[in-house]
Amino acid sequence: IPNTLENRPFTVVVEGNMGCGKTTFLERFKGKSNICVLSEPVENWRNVNGHNLLHLMYENPETWSFTFQSYVQLTMLQNHLLPTTCAVKIMERSIYSARYCFVEKLTRDGVLPLPSAAVMDSWFKWILQQNFVQVDLLIYLRSSPEVAYERILKRKRPEENMVSLDYVKYLHEIHENWLYFKTLFTCPAPILVLNADQSTLDVHAEYEKWKPDFFRKTLNN
Ligand SMILES: Cc1cc2cn([C@H]3C[C@H](O)[C@@H](CO)O3)c(=O)nc2[nH]1
């Protein structure tokens, strides 16, 4: 069956650095009857048969990155494929940022050994070839690393207590090259860039301003 909008929801993916405000941005859509909101499955990652893979990954990335990122890829695919009767599905991150941002960074850092990166990439490429995953709009919450880092410090996620500003800056560059300069990897859908350094209200005001164009443009294709 072709993966057309007739038999699947209009899928929006919200991407951005750690601390850019994705979770807060998605709060606005929760409770709307016709929108299925899928937050990043961090709680899943914290308890896989009793194992906190997120903690293990931060504590010893050389040993646990492959395990963690393999599970992230599975949970992202599950979100992409989750059936819904809603007209719109909005997801926090995607199988794309898993591969293009996080796995890419770990591979470049030499933290993820090349044989492991090759296996991750084989899974990723096969999944895309199955045409399981369709994204219709990508919202890039574009933040400066300094603002993002301040928010990470404030929210105090236990596993992130060792995250450095350098790590956040590096992830920022990868997001910029992918979603703003578009020099890194292909973009799976049209991109709406929002200035995420603003207050939550202003980010939503900017989204509301651009929404009609983007939904009309993408729905009419
Ligand atoms: C898709 C994807 C999300 C994601 C998050 N993370 C980390 C960054 C944050 O500390 C936490 C929640 O986003 O998980 C990661 O290492 N690899 C990831 N891949």
Side-chain angles (χ1 to χ4, degrees), residues 106-144:
L106 290 164
T107 307
R108 292 182 177 193
D109 289 350
V111 169
L112 190 68
L114 291 179
S116 308
V119 169
M120 287 296 302
D121 199 48
S122 299
W123 273 105
F124 175 73
K125 286 197 170 82
W126 182 85
I127 288 166
L128 293 196
Q129 279 156 13
Q130 306 315 305
N131 206 19
F132 292 151
V133 175
Q134 296 293 326
V135 174
D136 302 293
L137 173 63
L138 202 155
I139 297 177
Y140 174 29
L141 295 184
R142 186 175 185 234
S143 60
S144 59

Side-chain angles (χ1 to χ4, degrees), residues 29-214:
F29 299 99
K30 287 185 177 162
K32 293 234 167 99
S33 59
N34 219 6
I35 299 183
C36 168
V37 181
L38 296 180
S39 300
E40 205 172 42
V42 180
E43 290 320 311
N44 275 14
W45 305 340
R46 285 184 161 132
N47 182 1
V48 183
N49 205 15
H51 304 286
N52 182 340
L53 299 190
L54 182 64
H55 171 71
L56 289 173
M57 193 271 301
Y58 274 115
E59 192 185 49
N60 184 342
E62 283 78 8
T63 304
W64 296 110
S65 287
F66 179 66
T67 306
F68 174 70
Q69 292 300 340
S70 299
Y71 190 65
V72 167
Q73 185 158 253
L74 169 63
T75 56
M76 284 301 164
L77 179 57
Q78 288 167 333
N79 277 356
H80 283 293
L81 298 181
L82 191 78
T84 175
T85 53
C86 295
V88 177
K89 175 190 281 188
I90 186 163
M91 286 175 57
E92 185 176 2
R93 289 229 174 91
S94 67
I95 196 165
Y96 295 100
S97 44
R99 170 63 189 81
Y100 295 157
C101 299
F102 292 93
V103 168
E104 189 63 19
K105 174 175 174 352
L106 290 164
T107 307
R108 292 182 177 193
D109 289 350
V111 169
L112 190 68
L114 291 179
S116 308
V119 169
M120 287 296 302
D121 199 48
S122 299
W123 273 105
F124 175 73
K125 286 197 170 82
W126 182 85
I127 288 166
L128 293 196
Q129 279 156 13
Q130 306 315 305
N131 206 19
F132 292 151
V133 175
Q134 296 293 326
V135 174
D136 302 293
L137 173 63
L138 202 155
I139 297 177
Y140 174 29
L141 295 184
R142 186 175 185 234
S143 60
S144 59
E146 292 71 19
V147 170
Y149 188 62
E150 280 313 306
R151 291 177 184 162
I152 292 168
L153 294 180
K154 217 174 287 169
R155 85 176 162 209
K156 295 190 185 330
R157 204 178 256 156
E159 296 87 351
E160 295 171 351
N161 61 2
M162 294 142 44
V163 168
S164 66
L165 177 57
D166 281 350
Y167 181 83
V168 175
K169 279 181 175 172
Y170 195 139
L171 268 182
H172 171 71
E173 288 315 312
I174 285 198
H175 278 85
E176 287 285 275
N177 291 337
W178 175 36
L179 298 175
Y180 191 74
F181 301 109
K182 304 183 188 176
T183 55
L184 190 59
F185 293 106
T186 55
C187 298
I191 301 177
L192 169 56
V193 181
L194 300 179
N195 170 5
D197 280 352
Q198 299 174 99
S199 72
T200 310
L201 272 180
D202 291 347
V203 172
H204 265 288
E206 195 180 4
Y207 165 74
E208 291 300 330
K209 191 178 81 177
W210 291 106
K211 183 173 72 171
D213 301 343
F214 267 87

